[in-house]
Amino acid sequence: GDSVTQMEGPVTLSEEAFLTINCTYTATGYPSLFWYVQYPGEGLQLLLKATKADDKGSNKGFEATYRKETTSFHLEKGSVQVSDSAVYFCALTGNAGKSTFGDGTTLTVKP
Amino acid sequence: DGGITQSPKYLFRKEGQNVTLSCEQNLNHDAMYWYRQDPGQGLRLIYYSQIVNDFQKGDIAEGYSVSREKKESFPLTVTSAQKNPTAFYLCASTETGAKNIQYFGAGTRLSVL
């Protein structure tokens, strides 16, 4: 079946540092790929998405590019802020419409 | 504002008791989902429903039951058969069709007394 593997956390960075959270996937066909963010005690919110190969999703300074050749969708941000501290989930939705989530990566940004 | 409302935010279950978690959406979405989230882990699918009066088991359906009598509502019952119910439960919905964004509620945290 489909699967998503995320970089293990937690990740701790200083403010204005560069962020990369790795995500690779296994799926048949052409899934859509997503990054969701979860703040403490809340549900998940969509951060960005990409629906086909070479698409780049972007939002709030975060970016991720759908790389079919490496089955990856790594999340990046050039300069993180304290307010970016949260748990980040990589996810895919496959051909059957079912979503699969990674285990989440906890990011802490220190001032 | 359109969205998904889960209630209650916190719930406590006694031994042998069934409890029901509410999920209501006013997004006019056809598909709804229930996930379980344990600390440090991803989301695991419990049940999902793509249309009214129809639902399917997800990966961890044992000890849970659902109903979908109205498009807007998808309640989850945690039965006494679920021996380890302590977790954060998330409800989500999507528009009809594959590969769409999931919209999540704020979650219900269930604990055992």
Side-chain angles (χ1 to χ4, degrees), chain A residues 30-32 34 36 38 41-46 49 51 87 89 93-104, chain B residues 9 33 35 37 40-43 45 48 50 58-59 88 90 94 97-107 109:
Chain A
Y30 301 92
S32 288
F34 304 85
Y36 290 88
Q38 183 180 34
E42 297 183 9
L44 278 66
Q45 306 171 26
L46 178 71
K49 71 170 184 175
T51 57
V87 182
F89 289 91
T93 301
N95 291 337
K98 190 176 168 186
S99 293
T100 302
F101 291 81
D103 286 345
Chain B
K9 191 168 178 65
Y33 307 80
Y35 295 94
Q37 185 179 23
Q41 297 187 31
L43 279 64
L45 182 65
Y48 63 104
Q50 294 182 317
D59 301 320
F88 191 51
L90 288 163
T94 63
K99 304 185 179 183
N100 282 300
I101 301 163
Q102 297 222 349
Y103 294 83
F104 286 85
R109 188 165 300 280

Side-chain angles (χ1 to χ4, degrees), chain B residues 11 16 28 31 82 101 112:
Chain B
L11 186 59
N28 201 33
Q82 172 50 246
I101 301 163
V112 176

Side-chain angles (χ1 to χ4, degrees), chain A residues 15-89:
Chain A
E15 207 164 24
E16 299 184 3
F18 184 85
L19 168 71
T20 300
I21 301 178
N22 290 339
C23 172
T24 57
Y25 68 89
T26 302
T28 54
Y30 301 92
S32 288
L33 303 176
F34 304 85
W35 278 99
Y36 290 88
V37 59
Q38 183 180 34
Y39 298 100
E42 297 183 9
L44 278 66
Q45 306 171 26
L46 178 71
L47 181 59
L48 52 84
K49 71 170 184 175
T51 57
K52 60 183 189 295
D54 299 324
D55 266 3
K56 177 187 282 189
S58 61
N59 185 27
K60 299 181 182 179
F62 290 90
E63 293 183 338
T65 301
Y66 190 144
R67 301 286 188 201
K68 190 159 180 64
E69 63 276 14
T70 54
T71 61
S72 65
F73 193 55
H74 304 321
L75 182 68
E76 297 182 336
K77 186 174 185 182
S79 176
V80 293
Q81 306 301 312
V82 172
S83 57
D84 293 328
S85 298
V87 182
Y88 293 82
F89 289 91

